[in-house]
Amino acid sequence: MRKLLTSLLITAACAVQAQYPITPVPFTSVKVSDAFWSPRLKASREVTIPLAFSKCEETGRYRNFEIAARQLAGENTEDVKVGGFSFDDTDVYKTIEGASYILQTYPDKQLAEYIDSVLAIVAKGQEPDGYLYTARTMNPKHPHEWAGSKRWEKVEILSHEFYNLGHMLEAACAHYQATGKRNFLDIAIRYADCVEKAVGPGANQLHLVPGHQIAEMGLCKLYLVTGERKYLNLAKYFLDMRGKTARKDAYSQAHKPVTEQDEAVGHAVRAEYMYSGMADVAALTGDSSYIKAIDKIWNNIVNKKLYITGGVGARHAGEAFGADYELPNASAYCETCAQIGNVYTNYRLFLLHGFSCYYDILERTLYNALISGVSIEGDGFFYPNPLSCREESKYARQPWFGCACCPSNICRFIPSLPGYIYATKRNTLYVNLFMGNTATIKVDGRPITIQQETQYPADGDVKITLKKGGGKFAMYIRVPSWVTGKITPQSLYRYADGKHLSYSIKVNGKLQETISGAMINGYAVVERKWKKGDVVDVHFDMEPRLVVADKRVTADRGRVAVERGPLVYCAEWPDNEADISTYLLNQQPQLQVGAQPITITEGHTVTPITANAQSLSYGTDGRLHTTDRTLTLIPYYAWDHRGQKGGMDVWLPIDIKAASATHIKAEKQADNGFFGK
C-alpha cells in the first residue's frame, strides 16, 4: 500500500509539473553519425573520458571517497591531510556524466560496469543524512582549509559544497536518463534533500547562497526528472537571495538581486552558470522579473562583451567579464568552462523564447571558442582560449591541469551534443543544428523518425529524410545568422564585404516558394502533411566573409576577421612563409577557398582560406620593404596542433595606421591568473 501511495503521489506531482515552453529532444533520442562530430565523440569515448577517469584515480579523487568511507565506518582519520581543491569531487561527477552521455552513442557494457563500480565508492563516502563532501568527511576535525569548521560555514566563499551538489545533480540526472538506473540518482537526491532541509527561507534554516553557482541548474534538472517542486523552489531561493546575504560582490554576481542585474559581470563561469539557472527558473516558473533580467543580461553579452569566436570572459584577473567593448585578443581569457556555460545559457533561452538568435550564438561558441578548448585527438586542453598568440607567449594545450575543471567539463559536454539538435512545441519540430544523425521524436504526440545527412560545416547542404511516421506538422529550420548577414543583434560585429548570401529549401525536389524571404523567429517554416519518405533539401550559400568590429572595440580597430559558415578562421605560423605578425592584408582582400585541404593531425584535414597580403620587413639598408604574400588561414578550433614555433591571429591588420595606433593601448599583457575556481 505504501508503494502504491508513493507511486500515486509521484504521478500526481509529474502531472502538474512545469515544463519549458519549448520541449527539448533528449540526447537519448538522437544517434549522431557525422563527418565532423563523430570523430569528436569517438575521441571522447576512446581518449578523453578514459583519460579523465585515469586522472581521477591517479590524483586521489576516488581515494577521497574511500577515506571518507573509512571515517564513517569509525576509523580514526585524523592523520589524513586533506589537500587538493575543495571541489575535486566534481571531476568524478563530471566524468561520469560524460560517460553516461557517451553510452547512448556507443553502448558499452564494460564502461557501464566501470561507472557502477565508481558509484559504489562514491556511495560509501556519503554521510547518513545525505551530506556528501569528502573535503570535510575525510577528516571532520581538520577538513580542507577552504571548508570551515562546520557545514556550510564557508559555502558562500570557498567551500564549494553547493557547487559539488550542482555537478552531482547534473551528472546523476544524465546517468539516470542514459541507463535507467537509480544508483547515482538516489545518492544525489539524498544530498539535495540534506541541503533543502538545512537551507531555505524557514526560521530554523540557514539563509545562504552558493559561492560558485551551478546548484541552481542542477536543482532545476532534478525537478524535471523527479517532479518534486521543492527542488525548483530551492533553485529559485538560491537566486532570490543573491545579493541579500553576507556576500555582496560583483565577482560572484551578488552585488545586487538577480532581477535587478542587467550586465554580465564578475567571474565568467560563475556568471554563465547563474544565468543558465535564471533562464531555467524563468522558463519553469514564468516569473516575468526573471525573464526581463536574463534578457537584459543576454543583450549586454552579445552586443558588448562577446568575442567573434563566441567566447566570453575577457580578463585573466578574476577569470572575469570585462567592461563593455573590452575585448583584447592576446590577453583574452575565454576560459573553456565559460564557453560551455555560454552554450548552456543560450540553449535555455531558446527553450524559453523559441528564437533562433540564441542558437546563432550557441553555434558560434560551439564551433569556435568551445571546441578550441580540447585537441582534435581529445588529449590536450586549453584553460584560456586567446585570439592572438606569439611564440614567446608559450600558449599550448596541456595534457591535464591540477585544477581540472576545464578538461572534466569538456568530458561532460561533448558527449551531450546529440541533445542540442532538435526541439518540439506541440505540432512544431525545430531543426536547430546541422549534423548527421538519426532521431526518433514525438511531434504532437506522434512518433516520427528523421535522418539528417550533411557535410556541414564543410558545406551548406543538408538533407532531412522522414524515415518513419508522418502527419501534419511544421518543420522549423534555423536559417543561421551567417546566412542572413546579421552576426549580432546590434552590430558588435558586421560583415564588410557587401556579399548577400541566400538559402533554398526543397521538399521532394520542389522549391518551397512560401519560404522565399519570409521567416518566423529566424526559422524557415515548412508546414505540410508529411509522409514516410519525404525529403527536405536545405541549401545555405557558404562563402568566405570579411568581418569588422564596432569601433569601440579598440583591440580590433584597423583589423578584420574571416569567417566561412559557422567557422571563424585564424592565421597560424605553419601555413605562412613569414612571421604572421608582419602581414598586412590588401585593402581589397580577395578571399578564396583553398583548393587543397591542410592536414592538421592524422585523419583530420581542414579547408583553408587564402587572402592577398603583404609582409613587412626591414632590409639591410634599414628601409621598410614589402613582399607580396598569400596569407593562409585555418579554422580557429584547429590551431596549436602542430607545435609552438610561431604565432596565431584571428584579427588581421588591414589599415596599418589604425591597427598600430590602437594595438599597444588595447592589448595588456596577460597575467598568470589563477587557473582555479
Side-chain angles (χ1 to χ4, degrees):
M1 179 61 73
R2 182 179 295 173
K3 289 183 178 179
L4 176 60
L5 287 172
T6 301
S7 177
L8 290 172
L9 286 171
I10 292 173
T11 301
C14 292
V16 296
Q17 182 180 0
Q19 298 289 340
Y20 297 110
I22 309 292
T23 302
V25 172
F27 69 94
T28 51
S29 299
V30 184
K31 305 291 184 184
V32 169
S33 179
D34 180 76
F36 186 86
W37 287 106
S38 287
R40 290 274 181 175
L41 292 168
K42 186 172 183 284
S44 288
R45 177 204 177 200
E46 296 181 356
V47 180
T48 314
I49 290 172
L51 173 63
F53 276 135
S54 71
K55 289 295 182 182
C56 285
E57 182 172 349
E58 174 188 318
T59 59
R61 263 61 164 175
Y62 298 156
R63 187 171 63 250
N64 291 347
F65 291 95
E66 293 170 339
I67 295 171
R70 284 164 39 201
Q71 196 280 330
L72 292 172
E75 184 177 329
N76 186 345
T77 58
E78 289 186 30
D79 61 336
V80 172
K81 178 171 175 53
V82 182
F85 291 102
S86 61
F87 46 85
D88 282 349
D89 293 355
T90 65
D91 294 330
V92 178
Y93 305 149
K94 286 186 278 186
T95 308
I96 291 174
E97 182 179 350
S100 300
Y101 289 127
I102 211 71
L103 284 173
Q104 285 297 308
T105 305
Y106 302 102
D108 186 329
K109 182 180 178 182
Q110 185 176 359
L111 177 58
E113 290 175 348
Y114 178 80
I115 293 171
D116 285 342
S117 71
V118 174
L119 289 174
I121 296 171
V122 170
K124 291 178 181 177
Q126 187 165 34
E127 297 190 17
D129 67 348
Y131 184 76
L132 184 46
Y133 178 65
T134 66
R136 179 181 309 285
T137 307
M138 279 191 287
N139 187 345
K141 292 186 178 180
H142 305 286
H144 193 282
E145 62 180 339
W146 290 0
S149 61
K150 57 185 178 181
R151 290 183 184 182
W152 329 122
E153 186 176 72
K154 293 187 177 181
V155 75
E156 293 191 349
I157 308 172
L158 289 170
S159 76
H160 289 76
E161 286 153 290
F162 294 165
Y163 175 78
N164 284 18
L165 169 68
H167 273 300
M168 179 193 294
L169 296 177
E170 292 267 306
C173 291
H175 181 259
Y176 173 68
Q177 291 173 301
T179 67
K181 299 176 182 177
R182 291 189 62 100
N183 48 341
F184 198 4
L185 184 64
D186 288 340
I187 294 169
I189 286 173
R190 291 183 65 217
Y191 190 19
D193 287 346
C194 173
V195 174
E196 195 268 342
K197 183 179 179 180
V199 181
N204 296 321
Q205 291 180 295
L206 299 169
H207 308 307
L208 298 167
V209 299
H212 192 308
Q213 302 91 312
I214 198 177
E216 302 86 347
M217 294 168 57
L219 287 162
C220 288
K221 190 164 288 186
L222 186 62
Y223 162 69
L224 290 167
V225 168
T226 65
E228 289 281 353
R229 184 80 183 191
K230 63 183 180 180
Y231 302 127
L232 177 58
N233 291 343
L234 182 57
K236 190 171 186 298
Y237 172 81
F238 280 156
L239 291 165
D240 285 344
M241 289 297 291
R242 201 152 203 92
K244 301 175 184 178
T245 66
R247 185 149 200 189
K248 292 182 171 66
D249 60 307
Y251 172 80
S252 66
Q253 299 77 41
H255 55 302
K256 61 176 72 173
V258 297
T259 54
E260 296 177 16
Q261 296 186 31
D262 57 8
E263 179 183 3
V265 297
H267 188 271
V269 181
R270 286 171 163 85
E272 290 289 3
Y273 286 173
M274 188 183 85
Y275 304 151
S276 297
M278 288 176 66
D280 276 334
V281 168
L284 294 172
T285 68
D287 189 314
S288 61
S289 62
Y290 271 79
I291 295 171
K292 290 176 183 176
I294 191 59
D295 286 349
K296 288 179 181 178
I297 292 168
W298 182 82
N299 274 289
N300 175 252
I301 293 172
V302 301
N303 293 312
K304 297 178 180 179
K305 297 187 177 183
L306 185 78
Y307 280 94
I308 189 64
T309 57
V312 293
R315 295 178 179 174
H316 276 244
E319 301 175 320
F321 282 100
D324 291 349
Y325 306 106
E326 181 187 342
L327 295 165
N329 294 312
S331 62
Y333 198 66
C334 292
E335 182 182 341
T336 297
C337 285
Q339 315 325 308
I340 292 172
N342 197 33
V343 167
Y344 290 156
T345 300
N346 281 278
Y347 177 58
R348 285 159 172 78
L349 284 169
F350 163 76
L351 296 177
L352 171 62
H353 292 302
F355 297 153
S356 70
C357 57
Y358 304 112
Y359 257 92
D360 291 333
I361 302 300
L362 186 158
E363 180 183 67
R364 180 171 293 275
T365 305
L366 174 64
Y367 278 92
N368 300 290
L370 195 156
I371 58 172
S372 166
V374 59
S375 66
I376 292 165
E377 302 95 328
D379 60 355
F381 307 91
F382 276 144
Y383 213 111
N385 292 272
L387 280 74
S388 178
C389 180
R390 295 291 171 262
E391 182 178 4
E392 61 271 16
S393 301
K394 304 300 180 187
Y395 268 111
R397 289 186 182 84
Q398 300 298 313
W400 205 253
F401 300 99
C403 172
C405 58
C406 289
S408 57
N409 233 354
I410 283 287
C411 274
R412 78 183 183 117
F413 179 81
I414 297 293
S416 75
L417 193 59
Y420 289 85
I421 302 172
Y422 302 107
T424 64
K425 183 177 183 180
R426 294 190 291 273
N427 68 336
T428 296
L429 170 64
Y430 291 91
V431 181
N432 283 317
L433 292 178
F434 307 108
M435 63 183 72
N437 70 87
T438 301
T440 300
I441 305 167
K442 280 190 175 182
V443 181
D444 211 15
R446 296 185 302 271
I448 64 169
T449 299
I450 62 173
Q451 181 184 61
Q452 194 179 144
E453 300 169 272
T454 182
Q455 295 300 308
Y456 194 92
D459 64 41
D461 294 323
V462 183
K463 179 180 179 182
I464 303 170
T465 305
L466 188 62
K467 305 297 285 187
K468 292 182 182 178
K472 188 173 182 179
F473 64 88
M475 187 180 294
Y476 277 46
I477 301 166
R478 183 175 65 90
V479 180
S481 59
W482 56 261
V483 176
T484 60
K486 198 170 184 67
I487 301 175
T488 52
Q490 295 180 9
S491 300
L492 177 61
Y493 303 106
R494 62 181 177 82
Y495 294 115
D497 50 26
K499 295 180 181 178
H500 297 282
L501 305 189
S502 64
Y503 70 95
S504 64
I505 296 176
K506 296 179 180 179
V507 177
N508 300 328
K510 294 183 179 179
L511 188 67
Q512 299 299 289
E513 296 179 2
T514 58
I515 301 303
S516 56
M519 293 192 293
I520 299 176
N521 297 335
Y523 291 87
V525 180
V526 182
E527 186 171 8
R528 58 184 273 121
K529 188 172 182 179
W530 300 88
K531 63 182 185 300
K532 178 182 176 181
D534 282 345
V535 176
V536 180
D537 287 301
V538 183
H539 170 76
F540 301 126
D541 288 349
M542 189 177 282
E543 297 183 20
R545 303 296 306 271
L546 207 63
V547 179
V548 295
D550 187 298
K551 290 183 179 179
R552 286 169 286 189
V553 183
T554 56
D556 300 336
R557 288 181 190 167
R559 295 173 181 268
V560 295
V562 174
E563 295 183 358
R564 181 174 180 265
L567 299 178
V568 174
Y569 277 67
C570 68
E572 194 185 16
W573 67 271
D575 310 307
N576 294 285
E577 298 176 79
D579 184 337
I580 61 169
S581 66
T582 68
Y583 278 73
L584 182 68
L585 283 183
N586 191 291
Q587 287 277 302
Q588 296 179 338
Q590 303 299 310
L591 303 179
Q592 301 289 334
V593 177
Q596 297 297 322
I598 292 175
T599 299
I600 300 298
T601 65
E602 184 178 352
H604 188 90
T605 61
V606 298
T607 300
I609 292 174
T610 61
N612 49 326
Q614 298 83 41
S615 64
L616 309 179
S617 61
Y618 287 101
T620 55
D621 57 358
R623 294 171 61 84
L624 184 65
H625 291 259
T626 64
T627 304
D628 287 339
R629 302 281 190 187
T630 296
L631 181 64
T632 300
L633 302 102
I634 62 169
Y636 171 75
Y637 75 80
W639 83 280
D640 190 46
H641 280 85
R642 295 170 289 176
Q644 179 59 48
K645 297 181 180 178
M648 179 277 294
D649 278 309
V650 169
W651 288 96
L652 310 164
I654 194 169
D655 181 332
I656 191 168
K657 182 179 179 181
S660 60
T662 61
H663 179 71
I664 295 176
K665 179 180 178 181
E667 292 291 359
K668 298 179 181 179
Q669 290 296 319
D671 59 36
N672 290 328
F674 169 51
F675 289 359
K677 311 309 291 176

